Structures are given as C-alpha cells and as structure tokens.
Amino acid sequence: MATSTTQPRAGRQLPDSPRDPRRVGFSQTLGRWDVKVSPYLYISPFFLLFALTGLFPLAYTAYVSVHDWHLLGGQGEFVGFENFAFVFQEPNFWKGLRNTFSIFLLSTIPQLMVAIVLAALLDANLRAKTFWRMGVLVPYVIAPVAVSLIFGKVFADQSGLANAMLGIIGIDPIKWHGDVLPSHLAVATMVNFRWTGYNTLILLAAMQAVPRDLYEAAVIDGATRLRQFLSITIPQIRPTLIFVVITSTIGGLQIFDEPRMFDQLGQGGGDRQWMTVTMYIYELGFGNSKSFGRAAAVAWVLFLIILAVGMLNFWLTRRIASESTPTARKKVKR
Amino acid sequence: MSAPSVPYIRQTAGAGAARAAKRSRGHGSERRPGWVTYLLLTASVAIFTLPIYYAFLLASSDASTIAQNPIPSLIPQGNFFENVNRVLTSDINFWKALTNSVIVAVVTSASVVLFSTLAGFAFAKLRFRGRNGLLLFVIATTAVPTQLGIVPLFIVMAELGWLSKLIAVIVPGLVTAFGVFWMTQYLESALPYELIEAARVDGASMIRTFWSIALPAARPAAVMLGLFAFVGSWTNFFWPFIVLGSTNPTLPVALQLLQASYFKDMSLIMAGVVLSAIPLLVLFVVAGRQLVAGIMAGAVKG
C-alpha cells in the first residue's frame, strides 16, 4: 500500500523523447498535440473537482472564520478573531478537545498494537489464508453508524449486554453513558471494532513484501521470533507503519459518527462527556446557534491540531521504527 | 547480503544444524504455524463477527424480550422478517434510502475508478511539464482532512441549489486523492513502457492507448479501488447527514432517523442495521477474495 518512496523512480524509467517524425502532415501535428495535451486532460478531472470540493472549501474556511456568518442570514461583517476568542472561552470547546484526544488515544494505540500483532500472525504460513484475512475485514463493511447502534445496545446502562456480563462475574454496572471515561471507552471500542482489521490487512500487505532471506539470515544468527519481529519486520514496514499512523490520526481526531450515534439525542451526553470537536463544529454551524463563522473557526483550529499531531506522529514513528535496529537498517538497503 | 539456505547449512554445518534452522524458521514457506496462532486468530475473528450476529439476534427478537433480558438467546427468534417489514413500512423512507445509497455508491465508485486510472496513467507513464510537482501535490492532499471544509462546502452547495439533492453527495465523492496515488503506484510497475510504445507505433491515439492498454492492465488495482470507494460511500454519514436531511436520506442517515424516532424499539432499529449491512456483506462475500488479494497486490512494492 501507499508509500511515498516510489515517486522519484518514475523519472528515470521514462522512454526517450517522442520518436523521429517519419512524415510531416496534418495527422502528425494532431499526434503531437495529442501527446502534449492528453496528460493534462487526464489529470484535470481530479484537479478540477478537488479544487471545487476540497481545496477551495478549506481555504474559504479561513475566510468564513473571520466573519460574522449565519446559516440562514449569510455573510455578515468582518469580525477579525472574535469567533476564535468566543470559542476559546467556551467550556464546551475545551471539553470537546479533551474528549477527542481521549477517544483518539484510547482507540488508536490499542488498535494499532493489536493490528500489528494480528498482521504478524496472519503473515505465517496459514491454512485457509483467505478465510482468516476476510474474517478480520468483515467489520470494515459495516457502517460506523450501524456499528455504534450495535455497541450502543451493548453498552446500554440499564439493559446492556456489557453490564449484564459484568453482573455475572459480580461487578457493579458501569455508567457507560454517564461517566466520562467509560463513555470514551465505549466509543473507542466501536472505532477499534471497525478499523483494527482494516489496519491489520494494510500492515500484513507490507509484511508480505519483506524479503524472506532476511529472516533466514536472522535465524542463522540465532534470533528469536520476537527479535526477528522487532529487528526486521518493524523497520522493514516503516513506510506503511507511518502511513497507517498518519491516516489513523487524521481519522481519529475528526471522529463524529460513533459518538454522535452513541445516544439518540446526538449531543454527546448531558454534560457533553463524549462530545468531540467535530460534533461541536456541527452544533455551532447547524445546531441552534447556526453560526458558520464560529464553526469555521473551530474547523480551522482542528485542522492545525491535526497537522501538528500528524507531524509529531510522523516524527515519532520514524524514530521508533528506525531506532529499534540501526544495524539491520544499514545492512538492508532496498 | 544473501542468506544461507537450508541445503547450504546442511553442507557447511551438518544435518543437525540444518534441521534446527528449518525448525526454528518462523517465516519460511515450509513451516506451518502452531495451534496457538490458530487459537488467537479464531478468537479475533469471533470478536470481529459476533457483534454482527448479536445485531441479527436482536433484529429477530421483539422489543419487550430485549428489554427484559439483556443477554439474548443464542438462537435467532422468528421475528426477523416482521421487523424488516416494519422498518420498510415505517415513515422513514427506507426503500428510498436504499435506492439512494445504491445510486451514490455506484456512481462515485465508477467515477473514482475511471478518473483515478486516467490520472494514474498520466502520472505513471506520460511525460509532461510539472508532473512531479503535481503528483507531490496529490500526495500531500491525501493528508488533508477535507471534512474540515464542510461549512464552505455547504455554502457552495446552497449557492448551487443542490441542498437535499443526491448530487450534493455525489460530486464531492467523484474523485479521491488516494485513488490517484494508488493507481499511479500500481501502473508504474504493472504497465511496461514497451506496450505503450508499441501501441503508439501502431498509430493508436493517447485515449485509445489508455482504453486498450492501460485500463486492462490496471484491472486488479481498479477492482480493489472500486470496492474501497463503494464501501466508503456506502458507510459515509457526516456529509450526507448535513446536506441531505431527512426527506432524501442515504442509508446511514436513515439509520440515524430510525434511532431518533424509535429509540425504544431495539428490534426495529437492529432490523434496520442488518438490512443496511446485507448488501455490503453480500458484496464482500462475493468479491472479498479479490478485495483481500488486491490489498496484498498493492504491497508488492512495499
């Protein structure tokens, strides 16, 4: 899967410049024109549509965020950083930020650890490979909304499966919807359920590409399986590991579907115990206050946070994946 | 560096060492993993599938039984079709949601595949000014969370008069940066220059070359990209929820409506959940092998 290492290679493999003309004529000119213009035509759908639905909105968010702007009333006057100032004073914004980070950490860290172990298990020479691979991917086809309806019932406070099970082994019912940490755990469970298998397969794909003779060499050197995993597998799948960590960060910090559907009101709990930043953006823009300006301000803040955390994660993953064995990396140049 | 093979060890270090090397080899193609691996995998697959079965159990039960007994009977009760019927005849327009989801998912995944393959072909195999810079731009945009532009995007849709129309969901899904990047990666290695050259020498136009040479070569990656795009569209909630509203929902939006209005009737809600999942589960069973193989194929370049 996605790595960014192959891009420079393309330049070298290009064929020689267009062939020598054999005859000059109209079709020749047409052919040249075809060669020159076609590439731009082929990439233009992406760039045009992306400009309209991705790039422009993102930039325009900055413009909206410094204006008084309402869902119904439209653009108001320029207010500078007033929207930001308002939002920073709101306790709900900080609650949303706390919840987002808490849920993000509770989901991403266990999820990726389990995924990497599962991928290592699947990387063995299994019988019925496809069955196991498909088995872990099943939750991925269930919509997050459906997942949270299922787990909403599992974690119901009164008649939920989780509390009933805990009752059997003598543990008091947990207020999954009432308390902060339990609600975060419940939401994180939904995220983990849906995405662990997906990340497992991405990591497995990278593991399958690791040259097998590296392991053979390690065995000769007397390395245990754990040592092989830490010193060969992890450094070798580093680009994919970075990809998975970055995409999980982007997705995890924007989480909306699962917490929104955790109860039927969709406000993140009476005391906003599990309201995330994206839910707060929705509430500001499309809820009662209908303030697009403030919603855009929060969106912009969240964007900068995602950027910062993404970069931090990139740096961390690089370090972790390369530090585990400096020597193996030197030997193995691909 | 080359690793010594088992026969080589046998020659140099003796049969005992060769056997030891063979036995302790965790990753070679010879050794089958032990039962612990299968036990762990079985447990994982159980954890990944049981919640879905749980949803089906609740969907085949009735609201009062569910309320009385939190732990359901492990055998499905007989009310499933009745509950499904109640979902379909409720005032939430479930049939319409189903049709809408099919339309959106088919159109966007077809478009993602076509445009990504076109762009991927250009980036991987054609020469043009600014190519590297533009490709870098595409890669950079995969890291930009587009969800965050929802407020302006909503304004754009309102200006265009597309609110509560399917086109407002379709247009933003027509292309993905990931798709372009994915197809570029794949075609770079899967499509030899010789084939393109040969087609050009034979006088094929660029678009003909794309159609007859690049598109068939891209098929494995395209199938996988199409499935991912389909699943992504089918399960998408945030944007359709904002822009469509309750009159013209897609499936996830309909599920939200179902929960909001029937939150006490768990069997009805779960029937809706199962109903919304069935098409994708069927698709997954039919095409899952290819999906999994596709993910693996993408890995070859690591």
Side-chain angles (χ1 to χ4, degrees), chain B residues 9 23 73 125 148 159 209 226 241 286 289 292 298:
Chain B
I9 300 168
R23 212 182 311 125
S73 119
K125 297 290 156 175
L148 299 182
E159 289 291 325
T209 312
F241 172 64
V286 173
R289 183 180 284 269
V292 169

Side-chain angles (χ1 to χ4, degrees), chain B residues 253-284:
Chain B
V253 180
L255 284 179
Q256 190 270 333
L257 294 169
L258 209 58
Q259 189 202 26
S261 34
Y262 294 92
F263 64 95
K264 281 188 178 141
D265 195 340
M266 207 28 91
S267 61
L268 179 84
I269 293 175
M270 286 300 147
V273 165
V274 173
L275 204 55
S276 80
I278 284 175
L280 272 200
L281 282 174
V282 170
L283 183 73
F284 183 67

Side-chain angles (χ1 to χ4, degrees), chain B residues 24-288:
Chain B
S24 59
R25 184 157 304 178
H27 283 270
S29 49
E30 303 89 3
R31 215 183 78 127
R32 294 274 182 196
W35 61 272
V36 180
T37 307
Y38 287 103
L39 191 75
L40 288 171
L41 285 176
T42 308
S44 313
V45 172
I47 290 172
F48 287 138
T49 44
L50 278 181
I52 302 167
Y53 184 64
Y54 174 68
F56 175 66
L57 286 180
L58 296 188
S60 69
S61 189
D62 62 80
S64 62
T65 319
I66 294 172
Q68 278 160 20
N69 196 356
I71 302 177
S73 119
L74 288 176
I75 301 149
Q77 307 297 299
N79 296 341
F80 180 66
F81 290 104
E82 190 197 317
N83 287 329
V84 164
N85 195 36
R86 280 165 62 216
V87 172
L88 292 176
T89 52
S90 72
D91 48 339
I92 283 136
N93 214 334
F94 218 85
W95 273 122
K96 184 157 198 186
L98 203 67
T99 331
N100 282 347
S101 278
V102 170
I103 294 171
V104 173
V106 167
V107 172
T108 52
S109 52
S111 145
V112 163
V113 167
L114 178 68
F115 289 142
S116 299
T117 315
L118 260 177
F121 173 58
F123 277 128
K125 297 290 156 175
L126 303 181
R127 293 156 62 93
F128 55 95
R129 199 178 278 274
R131 190 189 66 162
N132 287 352
L134 287 170
L135 183 59
L136 207 64
F137 177 79
V138 172
I139 293 168
T141 59
T142 55
V144 174
T146 45
Q147 253 198 13
L148 299 182
I150 49 144
V151 167
L153 194 56
F154 185 87
I155 297 173
V156 170
M157 294 302 164
E159 289 291 325
L160 291 169
W162 288 356
L163 292 184
S164 81
K165 289 182 187 161
L166 280 191
I167 191 167
V169 179
I170 290 173
V171 168
L174 286 178
V175 292
T176 60
F178 171 75
V180 174
F181 175 58
W182 173 255
M183 293 312 297
T184 306
Q185 285 265 65
Y186 185 80
L187 284 176
E188 224 164 58
S189 61
L191 181 60
Y193 281 105
E194 290 76 15
L195 272 181
I196 305 171
E197 284 285 277
R200 298 291 297 158
V201 169
D202 287 352
S205 66
M206 273 296 176
I207 195 71
R208 180 74 204 270
T209 312
F210 168 76
W211 202 255
S212 318
I213 309 285
L215 210 54
R219 219 187 72 115
V223 168
M224 138 94 195
L225 179 63
L227 275 166
F228 266 26
F230 198 95
V231 173
S233 162
W234 191 270
T235 57
N236 188 17
F237 173 60
F238 189 50
W239 180 244
F241 172 64
I242 287 174
V243 87
L244 285 185
S246 54
T247 48
N248 196 22
T250 56
L251 275 176
V253 180
L255 284 179
Q256 190 270 333
L257 294 169
L258 209 58
Q259 189 202 26
S261 34
Y262 294 92
F263 64 95
K264 281 188 178 141
D265 195 340
M266 207 28 91
S267 61
L268 179 84
I269 293 175
M270 286 300 147
V273 165
V274 173
L275 204 55
S276 80
I278 284 175
L280 272 200
L281 282 174
V282 170
L283 183 73
F284 183 67
V285 170
V286 173

Side-chain angles (χ1 to χ4, degrees), chain A residues 51-52 54-67 69 74-75 292-293 296-297 300, chain B residues 148-156 159:
Chain A
L52 174 74
L55 202 59
F56 167 73
L58 206 66
Y60 202 50
T61 301
Y63 180 77
V64 176
S65 71
V66 291
H67 285 81
W69 201 311
Q75 184 176 359
F292 273 2
W300 196 238
Chain B
L148 299 182
I150 49 144
V151 167
L153 194 56
F154 185 87
I155 297 173
V156 170
E159 289 291 325

Side-chain angles (χ1 to χ4, degrees), chain A:
Chain A
M1 184 127 219
T3 69
S4 52
T5 50
T6 51
Q7 190 233 332
R9 195 173 62 202
R12 270 182 267 132
Q13 290 176 345
L14 286 171
D16 295 327
S17 51
R19 303 182 157 262
D20 296 333
R22 266 171 249 158
R23 62 196 164 84
V24 181
F26 176 65
S27 70
Q28 182 68 32
T29 328
L30 204 69
R32 274 230 174 119
W33 187 82
D34 187 22
V35 168
K36 276 210 160 139
V37 177
S38 290
Y40 295 105
L41 276 180
Y42 297 170
I43 62 170
S44 58
F46 170 78
F47 283 94
L48 288 178
L49 282 162
F50 180 76
L52 174 74
T53 61
L55 202 59
F56 167 73
L58 206 66
Y60 202 50
T61 301
Y63 180 77
V64 176
S65 71
V66 291
H67 285 81
D68 194 11
W69 201 311
H70 277 253
L71 172 62
L72 306 172
Q75 184 176 359
E77 57 192 50
F78 175 80
V79 294
F81 288 100
E82 220 171 76
N83 288 324
F84 290 88
F86 170 85
V87 170
F88 287 145
Q89 283 168 10
E90 272 280 281
N92 278 347
F93 169 75
W94 298 106
K95 263 187 196 168
L97 210 56
R98 175 201 68 183
N99 297 343
T100 304
F101 269 92
S102 168
I103 294 170
F104 164 65
L105 292 174
L106 283 172
S107 54
T108 314
I109 294 172
Q111 183 190 126
L112 292 183
M113 286 168 89
V114 172
I116 211 165
V117 171
L118 266 179
L121 290 179
L122 287 169
D123 194 29
N125 181 29
L126 294 167
R127 291 173 203 281
K129 280 191 188 75
T130 312
F131 169 79
W132 298 112
R133 289 172 181 174
M134 280 173 69
V136 298
L137 199 59
V138 166
Y140 176 65
V141 303
I142 311 289
V145 168
V147 169
S148 51
L149 286 174
I150 298 171
F151 281 89
K153 178 60 188 155
V154 171
F155 292 114
D157 292 341
Q158 302 299 326
S159 58
L161 186 63
N163 276 345
M165 299 285 222
L166 290 174
I168 293 175
I169 53 171
I171 297 176
D172 286 339
I174 293 170
K175 288 186 208 149
W176 298 108
H177 286 75
D179 293 339
V180 175
L181 195 61
S183 68
H184 293 185
L185 272 175
V187 174
T189 305
M190 302 171 194
V191 180
N192 292 334
F193 170 73
R194 182 154 191 268
W195 289 103
T196 303
Y198 174 83
N199 285 321
T200 301
L201 280 204
I202 305 284
L203 290 170
L204 170 63
M207 286 183 190
Q208 299 252 298
V210 177
R212 298 286 132 161
D213 52 2
L214 290 180
Y215 294 111
E216 296 185 2
V219 169
I220 304 294
D221 291 348
T224 61
R225 287 196 74 170
L226 182 67
R227 186 76 217 171
Q228 293 174 39
F229 178 72
L230 292 176
S231 302
I232 298 175
T233 311
I234 299 286
Q236 283 284 307
I237 62 168
R238 194 172 67 142
T240 309
L241 208 55
I242 292 174
F243 170 81
V244 167
V245 168
I246 297 294
T247 47
S248 306
T249 306
I250 295 170
L253 290 176
Q254 292 185 91
I255 184 170
F256 178 83
D257 300 8
E258 291 90 346
R260 157 88 207 185
M261 299 293 292
F262 190 42
D263 71 2
Q264 78 276 7
L265 300 174
Q267 293 187 322
D271 196 30
R272 307 305 166 93
Q273 305 93 306
W274 68 88
M275 182 196 73
T276 61
V277 175
T278 310
M279 285 169 78
Y280 187 55
I281 294 175
Y282 175 82
E283 187 182 311
L284 285 174
F286 304 92
N288 289 331
S289 63
K290 296 184 173 41
S291 172
F292 273 2
R294 287 168 187 170
V298 179
W300 196 238
V301 172
L302 182 58
F303 175 57
L304 294 178
I305 291 173
I306 290 176
L307 212 61
V309 177
M311 270 149 72
L312 180 75
N313 273 341
F314 179 71
W315 179 76
L316 271 177
T317 327
R318 273 184 77 108
R319 274 195 58 158
I320 292 169
S322 59
E323 248 183 17
S324 53
T325 57
T327 44
R329 218 159 64 81
K330 253 177 247 151
K331 275 190 245 166
V332 185
K333 282 218 176 90
R334 279 194 292 165

